[in-house]
Amino acid sequence: ELPCIVTGKRPVEACHVSYADPRYGKRERGKSEKADDRWAVPLHPDEHRRQHSMDERAYWQSVGIDPLQVALALYGVKGDNTMAEIIIRNAKGSTGAI
């Protein structure tokens, strides 16, 4: 239901961030381990394919978004689409902020 955190477009797919980051208590998931939705963000299918076609960290750096920070914020307002859309509108520039 939410727009893409990069383009603002719809439809979206759930993009699960796989890299670890101790700042957020995020560990790397194993190959056969199911992705935790806490670490998912909405991405337009074109952006999702682009993200998978390159180094994951490099992709997020290139779009200026810290996906883990955004994912935790979205998880915290789960079910409140109004707040979720505000978080998404403010996602750009979140890189490096805690």
Side-chain angles (χ1 to χ4, degrees):
E1 296 177 23
L2 298 172
C4 173
I5 68 170
V6 175
T7 66
K9 295 180 184 177
R10 289 179 170 96
V12 296
E13 299 170 347
C15 172
H16 292 85
V17 182
S18 62
Y19 63 82
D21 191 325
R23 294 177 301 161
Y24 301 106
K26 167 77 171 71
R27 63 179 182 78
E28 197 159 350
R29 69 181 161 114
K31 295 286 183 195
S32 62
E33 188 176 354
K34 183 184 179 311
D36 186 336
D37 287 339
R38 177 182 311 177
W39 307 112
V41 293
L43 273 186
H44 185 271
D46 294 341
E47 286 299 314
H48 200 182
R49 283 191 291 280
R50 184 171 159 242
Q51 182 259 334
H52 278 294
S53 75
M54 60 192 291
D55 176 76
E56 188 176 13
R57 287 181 191 260
Y59 169 80
W60 289 111
Q61 188 171 38
S62 76
V63 297
I65 294 174
D66 179 340
L68 296 174
Q69 181 183 34
V70 176
L72 282 178
L74 290 174
Y75 193 77
V77 298
K78 198 169 156 179
D80 184 344
N81 285 356
T82 300
M83 284 304 298
E85 291 204 25
I86 291 169
I87 291 165
I88 289 168
R89 279 197 304 271
N90 289 286
K92 292 251 180 176
S94 66
T95 302
I98 297 178

